[in-house]
């Protein structure tokens, strides 16, 4: 065969049935990504004779005699392709995993196609960006919106953003990995050349077909007889130690209820056995050949059934004290019962009471890179793990504990990670490849399929919230009472934390003397839930913010005015489930009032724009409404979140920053470079960030809970400031000037009238025995709070249920914004993901406990056409606890979106939707039933 790849004839022949994607990757073209293997996401897009195709469903044999171009071949000898330049200029990416495919599609567009991106980009999905920056990139508008994200609005007039020193705090510094992302040379987890891992084996898993069963026997022989199969691992070969797949700084935060491989399966999709073979195909064949006998056990699928007397105990054999399960025989993982004041008195004083049951659904993270890991032993016998993880140091600690290995014998590295959203704060692949590599002494790779992501990893916790709230006619909350039931699925990973956190800031943001919470996290025989963006807050805020609107309507008050009257202010205690505030949570800055004003003003301006455009009257079948919601979040997780950073001056006069935090589209690489550059009076382009390798620094809890900027950023800033002083001290010794007269400038130190180049200082420090490398540490306390307010204007067709988002606006209190363009991207991505969760995303589980939405074409994540262009505004605050005044802004933009949209729909239609998702058919049926109901 003859297949030309990027202008060079390939000497390889595709295997029978091989798709073009795997063929191209085997030929070293790692820019071709796997996102779905079903033609749904576009991450694998390449050109065949100039036409874009999804290479995962294009047979490689069909490329015979054709010219194939991958992202690696898109540039020419004259430089980058225009679309690559435009994606760099607009920073049309975050994690970047989908970017190569996006650019390969866009590179073929003509003007007519660019004019209709909703249609012509429908085959390329992005989970991170919210698509605005992608649209700017494809249309060549990268610079047009550079500063509109930082416009503060007062009285409806935009104010100029404060000027920033180029390359430092407040500048739109481009992502350091940008060039690598747009050229396809950024290396994600499995982008490792074959010659670097000789003898690589592949693992596939046999998964349970039953929701609850005991394994009686597993016959390995049929699998071992499959050509190419090397080994089979079952519960008899694995450590029996109980642990949790959830990863936190304090591992005791989660129940120990999981084994690497168990003899009891508790959900359809649970790992039963691992087959290791010379190829993926052989491993799959081996898994199919295994013969397993099961003893079926009674399952239970809903938390309401699971807590009934006599329900089958899913983890009933475990000791609750030892395993940290609240009541294993009653399927209760964790619970909280608290009352502040007296809700009975509060309801007695209320002039209006709202009662409703709110429900939120399972949502999948759908990070474009699926879970994947490679394990091998280095020349010294150390266990090496390369994994798509948000928490490399915690993975190392868990493997050390589970396999009883000394920590120094393990090294974990995360390459560039293709999205996380909390889903990669787990150990779901690393333990299995470690087991196999330790036993076989050969490299072993495990990569999940998209179906495995849906059926066998984790989801957002479904919540059922029975809410009762009261208000007085003069506009004050008198009582808030909530009965919360969360479904953690078959295992309790993150169950306590999600429940406690969800009941925290969602209640604490409002002043109310009488609050009561009864909450239970409950096991069921369904796919496990885990960490998901917002960590319980999005579910609780949906209920509480919906109720706040109902109370305001009930007493005849504007909902935003009702919020302003009841939301916490500086000096107010932030109380939820304990009578005393958390000791280390403070108002490091406060911008919630600004955020409310920013959203209100933006909605007013939007109303005027639509009136001027003649869109205020859409016809007799359309009704228009607006709604808002607010949220508060602690800027760091509780009970310690640690980071260690090292900053050094290199021999060439540039700087290096070593951090443990992983980069998965959260932008921490850029933040660390900017913080260090600001402290060292240089530019981010002269700061090299090395990260997410457990050999680099002592410890880093990980990038979750929005801690990348606040925690690791504090460590980086501290180290950089100390290094600046050390450099100035050396300069002073060289010039005889007073230390106070020595000032860092870009590339040098200015000592009075003399300028000392940094290279000269490096040489002098070596002679003096001075180490020009400093360490920074921070432990995550004290903590501040960040705020977000979202507003929508919508139109609803009363005949069809069609929903049209006319305006979307979010205001954020992010403190001093380190990188406005990047922070705006985090907010836009959070809005887009939240829109999917409120309108159509749902992991559906049937009556037998089986996930039925197990591929992307059955599970609709937002595409380009689904996401409105949101207005984003920042409050003007300066946080006293964050690095240089910054606060976190990765999780929180997600949280107020669902209730804001539900409130807008309620304002338009008069119907309160209390169950997510609010799909079009639900809107239609509710409108129909209201219309036909007897008067």
């Amino acid at each position: 065969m003859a297949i030309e790849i990027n202008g060079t004839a390939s000497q390889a022949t595709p295997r029978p049935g091989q798709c073009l994607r795997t063929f191209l990757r085997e030929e070293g073209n790692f820019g071709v990504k796997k996102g779905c293997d079903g033609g749904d996401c576009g991450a694998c897009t390449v050109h065949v004779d100039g036409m874009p195709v999804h290479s995962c469903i294009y047979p490689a044999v069909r490329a015979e005699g054709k010219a194939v171009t991958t992202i690696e071949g898109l540039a020419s000898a004259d430089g980058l392709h225009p679309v690559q330049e435009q994606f760099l200029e607009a920073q049309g990416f975050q994690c970047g995993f989908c970017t190569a495919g996006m650019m390969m599609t866009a590179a073929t567009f003509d003007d007519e196609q660019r004019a209709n991106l909703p249609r012509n980009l429908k085959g390329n999905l992005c989970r991170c960006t919210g698509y605005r920056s992608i649209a700017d990139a494809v249309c060549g508008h990268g610079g047009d919106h550079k500063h509109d994200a930082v416009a503060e609005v007062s009285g409806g007039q935009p104010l100029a953003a404060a000027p920033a020193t180029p390359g430092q705090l407040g500048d739109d510094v481009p992502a350091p990995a940008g060039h690598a992302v747009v050229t396809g040379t950024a290396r994600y987890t499995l982008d490792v050349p074959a010659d670097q891992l000789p003898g690589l084996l592949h693992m596939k898993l046999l998964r349970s077909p039953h929701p609850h069963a005991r394994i009686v026997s597993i016959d390995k022989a049929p699998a071992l007889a499959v050509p190419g199969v090397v080994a089979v691992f079952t519960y008899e070969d694995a450590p029996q130690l109980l642990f949790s797949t959830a990863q936190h700084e304090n591992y005791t935060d989660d129940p120990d209820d999981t084994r690497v491989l168990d003899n009891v399966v508790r959900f359809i999709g649970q790992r039963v056995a691992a087959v290791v073979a010379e190829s993926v195909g052989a491993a799959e064949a081996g898994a199919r050949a295994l013969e397993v006998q099961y003893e079926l056990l009674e399952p239970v699928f809903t938390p309401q059934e699971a807590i009934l007397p006599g329900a089958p105990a899913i983890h009933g054999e475990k000791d609750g004290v030892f395993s940290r399960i609240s009541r294993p025989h009653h399927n209760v993982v964790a619970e909280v019962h608290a009352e502040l004041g007296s809700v009975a008195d509060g309801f007695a004083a209320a002039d209006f009471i709202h009662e409703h049951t709110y429900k939120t659904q399972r949502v999948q993270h759908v990070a474009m890179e699926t879970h994947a890991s490679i394990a091998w032993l280095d020349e010294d016998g150390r266990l090496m793990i390369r994994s798509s993880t948000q928490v490399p140091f915690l993975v190392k600690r868990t493997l050390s504990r589970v396999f009883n290995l000394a920590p120094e014998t393990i090294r974990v590295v995360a390459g560039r990670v293709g999205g996380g959203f909390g889903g990669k704060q787990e150990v779901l692949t690393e333990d299995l490849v470690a087991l196999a590599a330790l036993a076989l002494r050969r490299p072993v790779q495990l990569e999940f399929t998209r179906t495995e992501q849906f059926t066998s990893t984790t989801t957002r916790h479904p919540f059922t919230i029975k809410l009762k709230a009261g208000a007085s006619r003069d506009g004050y909350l008198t009582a808030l009472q909530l009965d919360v039931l969360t479904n953690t699925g078959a295992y309790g990973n993150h169950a306590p934390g999600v429940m406690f956190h969800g009941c925290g800031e969602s209640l604490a943001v409002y002043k109310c003397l009488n609050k009561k919470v009864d909450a239970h996290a409950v096991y069921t025989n369904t796919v496990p839930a885990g960490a998901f963006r917002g960590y319980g807050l999005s579910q609780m805020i949906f209920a509480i913010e919906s109720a706040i609107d109902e109370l305001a309507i009930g007493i005849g008050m504007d909902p935003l005015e009702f919020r302003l009257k009841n939301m916490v202010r500086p000096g107010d205690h932030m109380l939820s489930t304990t009578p005393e505030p958390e000791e280390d949570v403070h108002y490091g800055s406060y911008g919630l009032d600004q955020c409310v004003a920013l959203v209100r003003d933006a909605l007013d301006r939007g109303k005027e724009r639509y009136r001027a455009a003649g869109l205020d009257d859409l016809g007799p079948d359309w009704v228009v409404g607006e709604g808002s919601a607010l949220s508060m979040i602690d800027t760091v997780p509780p009970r310690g979140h640690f980071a260690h950073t090292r900053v050094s001056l290199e021999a060439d006069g540039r700087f290096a920053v070593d951090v443990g935090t992983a980069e998965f589209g959260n932008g921490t690489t850029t933040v660390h470079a900017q913080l260090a550059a600001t402290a060292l009076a240089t530019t981010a382009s002269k700061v090299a960030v090395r990260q997410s390798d457990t050999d680099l620094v002592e410890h880093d809890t990980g990038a979750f809970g929005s801690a990348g900027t606040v925690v690791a950023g504090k460590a980086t800033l501290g180290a950089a400031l100390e290094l600046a002083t050390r450099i100035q001290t050396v300069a002073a010794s060289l010039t005889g000037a007073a230390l106070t007269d020595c000032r860092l400038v870009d590339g040098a130190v200015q000592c009075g009238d003399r300028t000392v180049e940094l290279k000269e200082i490096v040489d002098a420090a070596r002679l003096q025995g001075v180490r020009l490398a400093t360490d920074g540490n921070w432990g995550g306390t004290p903590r501040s709070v960040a705020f977000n307010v979202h507003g929508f204007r919508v139109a609803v067709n009363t005949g069809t249920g069609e929903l049209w988002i006319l305006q979307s606006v979010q205001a954020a209190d992010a403190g001093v914004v380190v990188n406005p363009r990047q922070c705006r991207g985090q907010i836009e991505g959070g809005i887009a993901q939240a829109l999917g969760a409120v309108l159509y995303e749902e992991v559906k589980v049937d009556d037998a406990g089986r996930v039925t939405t197990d591929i992307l074409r059955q599970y609709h994540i937002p595409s380009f056409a689904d996401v409105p262009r949101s207005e984003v505004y920042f409050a003007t605050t300066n946080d006293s606890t964050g690095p240089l005044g910054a606060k976190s802004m990765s999780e929180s933009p997600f949280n107020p979106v669902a209730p804001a949209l539900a409130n807008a729909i309620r304002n338009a239609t008069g119907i309160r939707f209390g169950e997510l998702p609010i799909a079009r058919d639900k809107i239609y049926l509710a409108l129909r039933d209201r219309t036909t109901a007897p008067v």
Side-chain angles (χ1 to χ4, degrees), residues 20 67 79 91 97 114 158 195 197 229 280 294-295 359 412 579 583 643 665 683 735 804:
L20 184 58
Q91 194 158 317
F97 197 79
R114 278 189 289 272
D195 59 1
L197 290 173
V229 170
V280 172
Y294 297 94
E295 173 194 349
K359 296 180 180 181
V412 178
E583 292 182 358
T683 64
T735 62
W804 183 13

Side-chain angles (χ1 to χ4, degrees), residues 424-439:
K424 293 175 181 175
Q425 193 190 336
E426 310 270 357
V427 168
L428 298 176
T429 57
E430 298 91 345
D431 55 337
L432 287 170
V433 292
L435 172 69
L438 289 168

Side-chain angles (χ1 to χ4, degrees), residues 286-297:
R288 289 193 297 269
L290 285 168
E291 296 179 359
V292 185
Q293 290 187 337
Y294 297 94
E295 173 194 349
L296 299 186
L297 304 174

Side-chain angles (χ1 to χ4, degrees), residues 1-64:
M1 287 189 64
I3 300 177
E4 182 185 288
I5 304 174
N6 297 326
T8 302
S10 171
Q11 303 302 310
T13 299
R15 297 185 299 277
Q18 186 175 22
C19 71
L20 184 58
R21 182 190 70 81
T22 59
F23 177 76
L24 291 170
R25 286 185 61 83
E26 288 172 6
E27 290 294 286
N29 299 283
F30 294 123
V32 184
K33 302 303 183 189
K34 168 191 167 178
C36 66
D37 271 344
D40 297 326
C41 77
C44 67
T45 304
V46 300
H47 296 170
V48 177
D49 283 348
M51 295 296 295
V53 302
H54 288 182
S55 61
C56 68
I57 55 173
Y58 189 98
V61 68
R62 284 184 57 190
E64 181 178 8

Side-chain angles (χ1 to χ4, degrees), residues 92-107:
F93 57 87
Q94 286 181 27
C95 84
F97 197 79
C98 71
T99 305
M102 195 79 67
M103 288 188 297
M104 294 304 290
T105 298

Side-chain angles (χ1 to χ4, degrees), residues 556-614:
M557 181 178 283
D558 175 78
L560 273 180
E561 288 300 320
F562 186 72
R563 287 179 170 84
L564 285 168
K565 203 163 188 175
N566 289 280
M567 68 193 194
V568 291
R569 305 275 182 166
D572 293 330
H573 292 312
M574 295 175 277
L575 302 177
S576 56
T577 58
T578 58
E580 297 295 330
E582 293 187 74
E583 292 182 358
D584 70 333
V585 179
H586 310 282
Y587 296 100
S589 62
Y590 181 89
L592 180 54
D593 52 352
Q594 292 183 55
C595 290
V596 171
L598 288 164
V599 167
R600 181 172 53 194
D601 291 349
L603 289 174
D604 287 345
R605 293 193 305 275
K607 186 182 298 183
E608 291 302 318
R609 286 197 303 270
Y610 277 93
R611 183 177 292 117

Side-chain angles (χ1 to χ4, degrees), residues 846-875:
D846 67 15
D847 292 341
R850 186 182 306 277
V851 172
T852 59
T853 48
D854 61 357
I855 57 176
L856 283 176
R857 65 188 56 191
Q858 295 170 340
Y859 183 91
H860 177 190
I861 71 168
S863 64
F864 187 96
D866 299 316
V867 182
R869 196 176 183 103
S870 294
E871 301 169 45
V872 176
Y873 303 100
F874 293 125

Side-chain angles (χ1 to χ4, degrees), residues 298-505:
E298 185 181 355
V300 60
F301 298 125
T302 70
Q304 291 80 3
E305 296 170 338
I307 59 175
L308 291 176
I314 297 171
H315 291 273
E317 79 282 8
K318 295 180 174 63
D319 184 312
V321 175
F322 175 76
S323 299
R324 299 183 299 282
I325 302 172
S326 179
R327 288 185 282 141
H329 292 285
H330 299 91
N331 294 319
V332 176
V333 188
E335 54 194 308
V336 61
H337 305 281
E339 184 171 10
L340 308 181
S342 168
V343 292
D345 291 346
F347 289 123
D351 295 304
F352 181 80
I353 293 174
H354 168 68
E355 287 189 77
H356 197 75
T357 297
Y358 292 89
K359 296 180 180 181
T360 64
Q361 79 282 33
R362 292 179 180 86
V363 178
Q364 232 288 325
H365 310 79
V366 195
M368 297 312 296
E369 179 190 36
T370 62
H371 283 78
S373 294
I374 310 172
W376 70 98
L377 303 181
D378 70 6
E379 59 273 11
D380 298 320
R382 271 210 311 174
L383 177 62
M384 309 289 288
I385 304 286
R386 182 176 174 88
S387 180
S388 182
T389 179
Q390 299 173 221
V391 286
F393 287 82
L394 301 189
V395 169
K396 173 181 175 177
R397 186 184 65 186
T398 294
L399 296 180
S400 171
R401 178 170 167 242
V402 169
F403 292 97
N404 195 27
L405 298 172
E408 61 270 17
T409 65
I410 305 172
R411 178 182 179 186
V412 178
V413 176
R416 190 173 178 88
V417 177
F421 315 112
K424 293 175 181 175
Q425 193 190 336
E426 310 270 357
V427 168
L428 298 176
T429 57
E430 298 91 345
D431 55 337
L432 287 170
V433 292
L435 172 69
L438 289 168
L440 302 174
R441 321 298 285 185
R442 286 178 64 180
V444 180
Q445 173 177 306
L446 172 60
E447 178 184 22
F448 282 179
T449 65
R450 182 56 61 187
T451 292
E452 286 178 300
Q453 290 291 121
F454 280 114
T455 62
S456 309
T457 59
T458 62
T459 71
R460 183 174 76 163
H461 284 75
F463 274 47
T464 299
I465 304 160
K466 294 181 180 179
L467 182 148
K468 183 178 181 182
S472 61
R473 64 173 56 92
D474 56 352
Y476 289 100
L477 282 168
T478 63
L480 280 171
Q481 181 174 344
L482 298 104
D483 190 333
V484 182
L485 201 59
T486 82
N487 184 350
T488 193
Y491 291 90
N493 42 308
H494 298 281
V498 166
M499 180 193 69
F500 281 109
H501 189 240
C503 294
E505 295 96 292

